[in-house]
């Protein structure tokens, strides 16, 4: 029986090694499956974003048609179905008059100075912005009203051209 004990110890050691190897391989495979799942989701999200981004001009055309005249019942039905279906895959429009200006989500096309304003506010939405979840597809193009830009100087007398000419000593500038 002395011989069976070392053999059984050796078998136990080999079994423990193979079990540890199997556990490592299983953990690697589980990690691989999770990574593949994440990669597939990322590819799906990118594909959805690309399709949605390519349809934004269609939504802009529908909105332009709404602004120009009353839509026919057929065109109105198509527009509603389009907007509903795009919403079902996560497309969300944003940008409303009166909301605070956020340069991450808004593109300021025009800045109207209001000396009594304490912050920048979106006062006109020129084109809505769109996002999917927290990902920006297109910023909202807006007119912003707010205080004068910091460091702005007032021009009290003459045009910039007249001032530049006077600085050069141009007698006609003055």
């Amino acid at each position: 029986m002395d011989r069976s004990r070392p053999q059984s110890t050796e078998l136990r050691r080999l079994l423990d090694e193979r079990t540890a190897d199997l556990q490592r391989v299983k953990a690697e495979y589980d990690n691989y499956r999770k990574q593949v799942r994440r990669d597939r989701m990322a590819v799906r999200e990118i594909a959805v974003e690309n399709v949605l981004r390519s349809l934004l001009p269609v939504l802009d055309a529908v909105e332009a048609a709404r602004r120009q005249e009353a839509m026919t019942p057929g065109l109105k039905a198509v527009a509603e179905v389009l907007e509903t279906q795009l919403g079902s895959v996560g497309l969300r429009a944003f940008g409303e008059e009166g909301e605070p200006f956020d340069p991450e989500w808004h593109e300021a096309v025009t800045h109207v100075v209001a000396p009594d304003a304490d912050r920048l506010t979106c006062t006109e939405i020129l084109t809505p912005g769109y996002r999917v979840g927290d990902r920006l597809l297109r910023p909202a193009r807006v007119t912003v009203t707010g205080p004068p830009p910091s460091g702005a100087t007032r021009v009290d007398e003459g045009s910039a051209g007249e001032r530049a000419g006077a600085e050069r000593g141009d007698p006609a500038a003055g």
Side-chain angles (χ1 to χ4, degrees):
M1 287 218 163
D2 292 333
R3 275 192 103 170
S4 67
R5 207 174 235 1
Q7 190 176 22
S8 121
T9 306
E10 181 66 19
L11 286 174
R12 172 54 62 195
R13 185 185 65 75
L14 288 172
L15 179 62
D16 290 345
E17 278 181 24
R18 299 302 178 261
T19 301
D21 290 344
L22 184 59
Q23 288 172 339
R24 272 192 300 279
V25 168
K26 182 183 181 310
E28 288 174 5
Y29 180 69
D30 288 344
N31 289 337
Y32 170 76
R33 279 191 349 206
K34 290 175 186 175
Q35 181 63 42
V36 166
R37 188 176 301 125
R38 283 191 300 267
D39 290 349
R40 284 183 182 159
M41 291 302 294
V43 167
R44 180 188 179 281
E45 288 174 8
I46 290 169
V48 167
E49 287 175 19
N50 288 338
V51 169
L52 292 175
R53 196 173 277 118
S54 70
L55 290 173
L56 294 182
V58 176
L59 290 173
D60 291 341
V62 167
E63 186 59 31
R66 279 188 180 123
R67 288 181 189 163
Q68 288 180 5
E69 59 189 68
M71 294 174 57
T72 64
L75 183 56
K76 185 176 179 181
V78 169
E80 289 172 358
V81 169
L82 176 66
E83 290 165 348
T84 300
Q85 292 302 312
L86 293 177
S88 73
V89 293
L91 183 69
R92 299 287 176 258
F94 67 90
E96 294 191 21
E97 293 178 5
E99 70 186 11
F101 174 75
D102 182 346
E104 290 185 24
W105 295 96
H106 302 107
E107 178 183 339
V109 176
T110 306
H111 180 205
V112 177
V113 175
D116 58 333
D118 59 343
R119 65 177 184 177
L120 295 174
T121 305
C122 300
T123 51
E124 182 181 359
I125 307 302
L126 304 173
T127 58
Y130 291 97
R131 67 179 191 208
V132 176
D134 290 335
R135 295 180 60 115
L136 179 67
L137 292 181
R138 180 178 81 187
R141 294 174 49 102
V142 299
T143 295
V144 176
T145 299
S150 59
T153 58
R154 265 184 72 186
V155 177
D156 291 329
E157 296 179 19
S159 69
E162 290 172 346
R163 283 191 315 281
E167 290 171 4
R168 286 192 311 265
D170 185 354

